Every structure is written in structure tokens, then in C-alpha cells.
Amino acid sequence: MALTMNDVDRFEASRSRLEAIAYRLLGSASEAEDAVQETFLRWQAADVDRIEVPEAWLTKVLTNLCLNQLTSARARRETYVGQWLPEPLLAGDPMLGPADTAEQRESVSYAVLALLERLSPGERAVYVLREAFAYSHREIAEILDLTEAASQQIFHRAKKHVAAGEARTEIDEAAARRIIHEFLAAATTGRTEPLVRLLTQDAVSIGDGGGKIPARAKAFEGAVAVAKFMRGLFKPSKAKSALVGGSPELYATTANGDPAVVAVVDGRVVGVMCLEITTEGIAAFRNQVNPDKLDRATRRWAATDHGEPLLRVF
């Protein structure tokens, strides 16, 4: 049946929420957009006049599409070159979704999205729907064809997995900029000691180059190892400049709610480094340099005012 403008408007009213759900489930903005578009095609083919609660119907269709995608994605990631990290979303991206509560902000952090990779597709869906979007267990049971008791049990198990690790410290944008300034000042001294003082003893650094950009397959672990890596990373070289196509400009912002360094060459985002901050210091660096995962960040960057760069490297 052909959709009326009212039917299209009803779908569009849910698009932002659907994209935010899909992103949290898939960890990929491009795959989230594809899942939402497929949901629209299902809506277009349905007898929408017989759908009593469009929001519930659309959420169920989308979630199940994402569950199918997650099942195939797990197989693909077994052959992924190096470490796999989510696609970063820069400050203000509507796909970040609701951020009214600490739980909602936490659910889209880079650290939590990485932890969600440890969950089964079903656990991930229950966690996202409950923690980030406050669906009741009755609603989740209807979306996933579970019992309400099963939804509660799965959520308890998933939340226990995600809760492991250091407590994240919430940072506003001004504080994020101060942290980035301090980090870059230390990283560009050419010495290890100033960096070590900013890190937790068990700090880690993980990079995702997707086989397109060199990135170590194994994470750097421990304050000294991470500091040495960061010292080398910011050391100028012609080889690095050639690899990214020029001399990157570095900016301080947030990505997925975390302090982040964005590296830009001629308006193109070539890297996003997300910092995980705890009360003890910087606990993790998650560095996305896979160009396939930076297209949306580049589009977002072009559409926003980001001021002057903090410095140029290489």
C-alpha cells in the first residue's frame, strides 16, 4: 500500500530514536542508518492502518533487524584485521540519542559500547532498550518475544558484565578541553614522565585501523607502555604525514560523551582518540583511525564550528 504523507510523518517522528537504538546495538553509524532505512521499507510495505502503536511496531522491526545484523557481524569480526572499535560520534550528533540521565549517557560511551561487544545479541538488545531507552520489561518481552521474567534475568546478567571495570567520571565539554590540553602538553614534551603522571597504573591504549591504517593488533597495557606509545605517536615524521595525507590539526572536543582529540587534514577527520577518565586519571585511550569509520565524523565536523586547532603535528 502507498504511504500517505501522514504515514511518512509518523515514521519520521521516530527516526531519531530508531537511529539511536540501532547505533547502540550495532556500534556503527552507517549500519544503523541502513537498519533504519530497511525498517522504513518494512513500514512502507505494511498495512499501517492496522498498526495500533507505530512506535512499538517500528522498534520491534528495527531491533530484530539489528539482532540479525549482530549475528553476522560477530562472524565478520572474527576475521577483522586488528582491534575492532565502534564508530565514534562527535559532540552534538543526533544519533547519540537521549542524554537526560547518567545511565543514558553511559550507555553510549565508547567504553560501554566496547564492553557491549562481549554480550550476546539478545543480552545487548535487552540492555540497550532498558538502560538507554527505559523500556519496561513487559515492553522488551513483547519486542523480543520473551517472557517478562526472562527479560529481567537477561538484563541483570548483561548489566553485571557491563558494570565491570573502573567507574567512569562524567566530564562536561569545558573540563574535556582542559584534560585534552593537559594531555597534549604532556604528550608533546618528548618525555615519558609527564604522561605517566596523567595515567592510571593499568592504563591501556587500543587502536582500530581496520587494516587500512597501521594499528597494533594488541593493546598497549600499563602506564609506562602507554606513555611511551603516546610519546612516539606525537613525534613528527614524514612517514606519518604521508600516511594521512598531510599535517594533522588537533582539536579538543567530546566523542560519545568522552573527552576526545580529533585529528583533521584538509577538513577530513583522520583520527578520533577517545579518553576514558576515572578519578585516578586517564584509564584508556581508544583510537579510531579506520577511514571507513570516520565518514560520519567528517560530515559532522564540516557542519559545526570547532574553532582554532590546539596544535599541528607531523
Side-chain angles (χ1 to χ4, degrees):
M1 296 178 63
L3 293 182
T4 65
M5 285 304 300
N6 183 55
D7 296 331
V8 173
D9 289 343
R10 284 196 291 173
F11 180 86
E12 291 301 327
S14 293
R15 181 181 289 276
S16 294
R17 179 181 55 83
L18 295 174
E19 287 187 344
I21 292 172
Y23 172 71
R24 283 167 168 82
L25 288 175
L26 300 173
S28 166
S30 58
E31 290 179 5
E33 289 173 337
D34 290 345
V36 172
Q37 182 59 27
E38 179 60 30
T39 302
F40 175 73
L41 294 177
R42 303 287 179 93
W43 173 253
Q44 191 175 38
D47 185 354
V48 297
D49 290 335
R50 300 185 62 181
I51 297 174
E52 295 181 5
V53 186
E55 179 181 313
W57 188 92
L58 291 168
T59 303
K60 181 166 186 170
V61 170
L62 174 85
T63 302
N64 282 284
L65 286 169
C66 289
L67 286 175
N68 292 337
Q69 181 77 0
L70 279 172
T71 301
S72 61
R74 290 168 81 88
R76 291 199 309 274
R77 286 170 195 167
E78 289 178 3
T79 59
Y80 191 82
V81 179
Q83 298 278 345
W84 185 93
L85 288 173
E87 186 175 342
L89 297 182
L90 300 184
D93 193 312
M95 199 177 279
L96 288 167
D100 298 326
T101 68
E103 290 79 11
Q104 289 172 336
R105 293 188 292 273
E106 180 82 7
S107 71
V108 79
S109 73
Y110 224 47
V112 166
L113 288 178
L115 284 171
L116 290 181
E117 288 295 303
R118 303 178 184 178
L119 305 182
S120 70
E123 288 173 334
R124 188 164 181 160
V126 170
Y127 179 86
V128 166
L129 292 171
R130 178 64 179 163
E131 192 79 345
F133 295 90
Y135 281 87
S136 69
H137 286 293
R138 179 183 59 78
E139 291 170 318
I140 294 170
E142 292 175 356
I143 289 169
L144 299 176
D145 294 323
L146 302 169
T147 65
E148 193 169 340
S151 175
Q152 292 170 338
Q153 291 171 353
I154 292 170
F155 176 70
H156 177 75
R157 187 167 64 242
K159 191 164 185 177
K160 188 175 180 180
H161 284 303
V162 174
E166 297 281 350
R168 176 174 174 263
T169 301
E170 288 206 51
I171 302 292
D172 62 26
E173 195 150 359
R177 289 186 66 84
R178 290 195 298 271
I179 290 168
I180 297 301
H181 274 277
E182 189 175 5
F183 161 66
L184 289 177
T188 53
T189 62
R191 296 185 294 117
T192 302
E193 295 79 9
L195 275 167
V196 170
R197 288 195 291 269
L198 296 178
L199 309 179
T200 62
Q201 286 303 303
D202 58 352
V204 298
S205 178
I206 304 167
D208 179 349
K212 308 288 180 69
I213 298 292
R216 193 168 187 255
K218 186 178 180 182
F220 290 94
E221 299 180 352
V224 174
V226 171
K228 287 180 178 178
F229 167 67
M230 290 295 165
R231 182 189 64 191
L233 181 65
F234 288 95
K235 186 177 181 179
S237 81
K238 291 182 179 179
K240 293 175 188 174
S241 182
L243 185 65
V244 298
S247 179
E249 298 175 335
L250 301 186
Y251 295 83
T253 184
T254 60
N256 294 74
D258 294 320
V261 180
V262 177
V264 181
V265 174
D266 296 330
R268 176 172 52 91
V269 174
V270 297
V272 177
M273 175 186 288
C274 292
L275 282 63
E276 181 182 346
I277 309 298
T278 71
T279 55
E280 302 300 318
I282 303 174
F285 298 89
R286 294 181 175 87
N287 313 311
Q288 185 56 262
V289 292
N290 182 348
D292 294 343
K293 297 183 181 182
L294 295 172
D295 284 346
R296 187 179 179 92
T298 294
R299 295 198 302 272
R300 178 71 191 170
W301 192 256
T304 56
D305 179 16
H306 33 73
E308 293 298 312
L310 298 179
L311 72 145
R312 291 176 172 82
V313 292
F314 308 165

